Amino acid sequence: MGTGTTGTGAGTGTSREADGAARVAGAGRPAPPLRWAVVLGWLVGLTVLLAVVGFFLGRETRLAPFLVVVPALVAGRGTVRQTAVAAAWTTVVIVAALFDAAEDTAGAAVATVVFALVFNGLSLARVIQRVGDEGEIARLRSAAAALQRQLLRPFPLVTDHLLVHGLYRPVEEDSRVGGDVYEVVASPYGSRVFIADVQGKGLPAISAAFAVLSAFREAAVSEPTLTGVVDALEDAVLRHNSFAAQVGESERFVTALVLGVDSGQEVQAINCGHVAPLLLDGGRAAPVLPGEPCVPLGLDALTPAPRTVEWFGFPSDGTLLLCTDGVTEARDPSGTFYPLEQRAAGWSRIRASEVPTVLYRDLRRHAAGAPTDDTALLVLRRRADAGVV
């Protein structure tokens, strides 16, 4: 049996996952700043346009003050320096136009200049605020990405017995981490697999997720039995709830599925109120845990029955699909739940590394857009088949 520590991704697979993570991290970021050629083109082009229009309309028509819209436009996407250049340009052009308009009164000229200075000043203030806000957002995204790397490792995950592909999508995109968590650990007792869903959303759910994930990483390598691992997870949730109550936050429960996989043909499982795994094999997809799930983590005191281990077969050519209820409870516009078991039957013959992408694309089509809950899924294959999945 494996005695290593937590597995890491293989070379090319990790690279692909990292590239995918970078693309996701870039989604929703501000557009790149304007190029200087674009800014200068706006300034020269609009100045010439207004001059030509003014020439044909007559000298008494003063269009130069309309140039103040250019700094406002530049402030929307340009830099502070670009906006300052645009403001200086428009001010100079407006003042020059006033000198050419000898018939204008001094009061009108002063009012026009003041108007231009105030409007340009507002444009500068806007771009300074925008650049500052974007910098703060970038720092928050960087911190969120670092937090995600600490909490949830990129796929694929590899142990002595398993090659695990998967996908993770938090419903709150900017947080990068939600209430769904997963982990795969190589221990002296075989490979331990964990997927869980914390009740609720937001920072309190992330806090509870971090607590239970940390407990699993420790218990997976120190507890010889799967029940011992789950007991440690129960204690971690209770401790977290105790602390949450002290600071005025709501207590939470956690649905979780814990598996123990070794070189044998059968897998140990304890299902704590979680979505049951599916075995994809021979063109079929079937649940592998016929019994009723145990109570979720944090609620053990509500039932006298202890959590028990179930066993199921995991053939060498089979694929195990684990997911959270963000998949099974996704609805289409008519309210119909996503038919995971029916859809998964057609995925048993495709590469395991492609299943997460195929599933999530199909899930988005079913939900007519982005799902409304965190989505996590794991696709497990026996390590002996690593070269062909």
Side-chain angles (χ1 to χ4, degrees), residues 16 34 41 43 45-46 57 84 111 118 136 154 217 237 244 274-275 314 317-318 329 340 350-351 361 369:
R16 289 193 298 269
L34 295 173
L43 291 173
L46 191 54
L57 292 179
V118 170
E136 182 65 21
R217 285 171 171 164
V237 174
H274 199 74
V275 179
F314 182 16
D317 58 349
E329 296 184 3
L340 176 62
I350 68 175
R351 292 165 59 93
R361 187 184 300 123

Side-chain angles (χ1 to χ4, degrees), residues 129-192:
Q129 180 185 26
R130 197 205 86 226
V131 170
D133 291 344
E134 289 177 355
E136 182 65 21
I137 291 172
R139 286 189 291 272
L140 290 175
R141 282 197 173 103
S142 177
L147 176 62
Q148 183 188 42
R149 287 193 296 270
Q150 292 299 315
L151 262 65
L152 302 174
R153 296 183 296 122
F155 296 104
L157 307 175
V158 182
T159 69
D160 293 345
H161 308 100
L162 294 172
L163 174 62
V164 181
H165 296 278
L167 177 143
Y168 178 76
R169 293 287 186 274
V171 67
E172 297 179 9
E173 183 64 32
D174 281 346
S175 73
R176 306 289 166 81
V177 180
D180 292 1
V181 289
Y182 62 84
E183 185 58 285
V184 180
V185 172
S187 80
Y189 316 103
S191 298
R192 264 79 186 268

